[in-house]
Amino acid sequence: MNRYQYVRGSKNKDLLHAILINCVPTILLIIVFQLLPILIAIIYSFMKINLMAGTKTFIGMHNYLHALQDERFLASLVTTLRYFFMRVPLQVILGFFLSLLFYQPKKWTPLLRTITLLPVITSMVVVTSILGLMMHPSNGLINSLLHIIGIPAQGFLTDPKQALGSIVFITVWKNVGMTMLFFLAGLMAISPTLYEAAAIDGCSFFQKHWSVTIPMLKKTFLFVLITTTIRSFQVFGPILMATNGGPLQSTRVVVLDIYENAFVFNQLGYASTQSVILAVILIGISLLQMRFSESRKGEKNI
C-alpha cells in the first residue's frame, strides 16, 4: 500500500484532511478541559462569587490585593516552597541513581525495575493509606522497626516538625519510579561508543558519568525538573488524606488552601485568584529553569 505524501499546492488533499480529522478530538479535549477552565478561572478571579446564592459580582483587582495581604495564603506558599525544595532534589537525584543502577542488564534487574515501578501504577490513595498506617506513631511498622534498634518512636505525620518530610517521603516513594523510567529512556539513547572512548581515555566510573552521562541527559534532566516542579506545587491528595493541612498547619499547601476557599468557605472567586497566582508562579519557575539550562549550555559551548 502506497503512503500518502502531502505536497503544498497539490490537489490531493487526502493526507491533510486525514490529519485534521484525527486532530479534531484532541483539539476539542484541550479546549474543553484545559483552555476553557483556564479562561473561566481568570474571569472568576475578578469576581466575588457566592455558590449558595448563585451570585457573581465584579470587584476588579480586590481579590489579588487581598491575596497579597492574606497571611494564610502567604504561609501556604512558604510551605509549598519548602515541600518543593525537599521533594524535587530528592526525587530527581534518587531517580537518576536508580536508573544507573538498573541500566545494566543483570538477573535481578527486571525484578527490581518492577518493584520500583509498582508504586507508580498504584493509586495515590492506596499508597498514602498504606504508608500512613506504617508511620502510625504508636503501632506503625516503621516505629516497630525503630524500636528494635533502640530508636524512640517518631511522630511522623502527627509531628509538626516531621509531617511535611513524611509527605515528601510518600510522594517520592510513589513517583520516583517514573523519574527513573525517564532517565532509563535517556540512558538507552546514549551511544555506547561514547563510553568506550571515555574508557580509552582512562576515565573512571564516576568520570564517565560526569563527562558523558550527565551532559547527554541534559534535556532529560530539564524535563524531569520541570514536571516534578509542577507536580510539587500541585500536591494535594496525600496531604488531604494524611494530615488535612495539620498538625498546626505545618502541611497546609497552596492547593489545599484553594480547595478550602472554593468548597468550604464558599469563596470561588478568591480561590480562582489563588489558582491564577499559582499558575503564574509555576510559569515563572519553569522559565527560570529553562533559562538557567540554556545559560549553562552557552557557558560550556564557550
Side-chain angles (χ1 to χ4, degrees):
M1 182 178 178
N2 294 328
R3 305 177 90 183
Y4 286 106
Q5 185 174 3
Y6 175 69
V7 180
R8 189 171 182 178
S10 173
K11 295 181 180 180
N12 188 354
K13 307 290 185 179
D14 292 346
L15 179 61
L16 181 60
H17 292 162
I19 293 173
L20 292 175
I21 291 173
N22 283 280
C23 287
V24 166
T26 303
I27 294 173
L28 288 176
L29 289 173
I30 292 174
I31 292 174
V32 173
F33 293 104
Q34 292 186 359
L35 299 182
L36 189 59
I38 292 173
L39 178 61
I40 293 174
I42 294 173
I43 295 173
Y44 281 3
S45 68
F46 297 101
M47 296 182 177
K48 180 178 181 180
I49 302 173
N50 190 320
L51 291 175
M52 302 298 293
T55 58
K56 300 177 183 177
T57 307
F58 180 79
I59 57 174
M61 298 295 295
H62 181 271
N63 284 332
Y64 288 93
L65 296 174
H66 176 56
L68 296 177
Q69 301 172 354
D70 186 356
E71 294 183 1
R72 189 171 183 174
F73 174 61
L74 296 177
S76 68
L77 274 176
V78 172
T79 303
T80 305
L81 284 172
R82 288 178 56 215
Y83 174 84
F84 160 74
F85 284 116
M86 292 169 67
R87 174 186 173 180
V88 173
L90 179 61
Q91 183 169 326
V92 173
I93 294 172
L94 185 59
F96 175 65
F97 281 111
L98 285 175
S99 67
L100 293 179
L101 181 63
F102 299 155
Y103 174 62
Q104 297 297 334
K106 297 179 181 179
K107 291 182 179 180
W108 43 265
T109 300
L111 176 62
L112 290 181
R113 285 181 182 177
T114 303
I115 293 174
T116 308
L117 287 171
L118 273 177
V120 176
I121 62 175
T122 306
S123 168
M124 177 60 83
V125 175
V126 176
V127 172
T128 305
S129 300
I130 294 174
L131 292 180
L133 291 173
M134 291 175 64
M135 289 187 284
H136 193 277
S138 58
N139 55 7
L141 176 62
I142 297 178
N143 274 326
S144 299
L145 296 175
L146 293 177
H147 178 72
I148 294 175
I149 58 177
I151 298 177
Q154 304 296 312
F156 295 119
L157 295 169
T158 60
D159 187 341
K161 296 181 180 180
Q162 299 179 359
L164 194 63
S166 300
I167 296 295
V168 171
F169 173 77
I170 292 173
T171 51
V172 170
W173 178 276
K174 170 73 170 66
N175 297 291
V176 72
M178 183 59 68
T179 303
M180 178 201 71
L181 203 60
F182 288 134
F183 282 121
L184 273 176
L187 285 171
M188 292 177 180
I190 299 175
S191 174
T193 57
L194 296 176
Y195 293 109
E196 293 173 1
I200 293 173
D201 291 338
C203 293
S204 64
F205 174 82
F206 295 102
Q207 288 175 332
K208 284 193 296 184
H209 289 301
W210 180 260
S211 303
V212 177
T213 305
I214 293 178
M216 294 300 294
L217 291 180
K218 185 183 297 181
K219 292 184 178 179
T220 305
F221 271 105
L222 180 61
F223 171 77
V224 169
L225 189 62
I226 292 176
T227 53
T228 309
T229 297
I230 294 173
R231 293 177 68 90
S232 297
F233 274 84
Q234 294 177 337
V235 62
F236 173 69
I239 291 179
L240 182 67
M241 287 187 59
T243 63
N244 197 27
L248 301 178
Q249 307 298 318
S250 60
T251 60
R252 184 178 183 81
V253 292
V254 173
V255 178
L256 182 64
D257 194 48
I258 294 172
Y259 166 79
E260 289 187 349
N261 282 320
F263 302 109
V264 178
F265 303 130
N266 194 22
Q267 297 179 357
L268 184 59
Y270 182 53
S272 299
T273 302
Q274 293 177 308
S275 300
V276 173
I277 293 174
L278 177 60
V280 171
I281 292 173
L282 283 174
I283 293 171
I285 292 176
S286 299
L287 290 176
L288 284 175
Q289 291 172 340
M290 294 176 66
R291 177 62 63 89
F292 177 75
S293 176
E294 291 175 357
S295 64
R296 295 285 294 179
K297 182 178 180 181
E299 291 175 4
K300 291 186 178 181
N301 290 336
I302 293 173

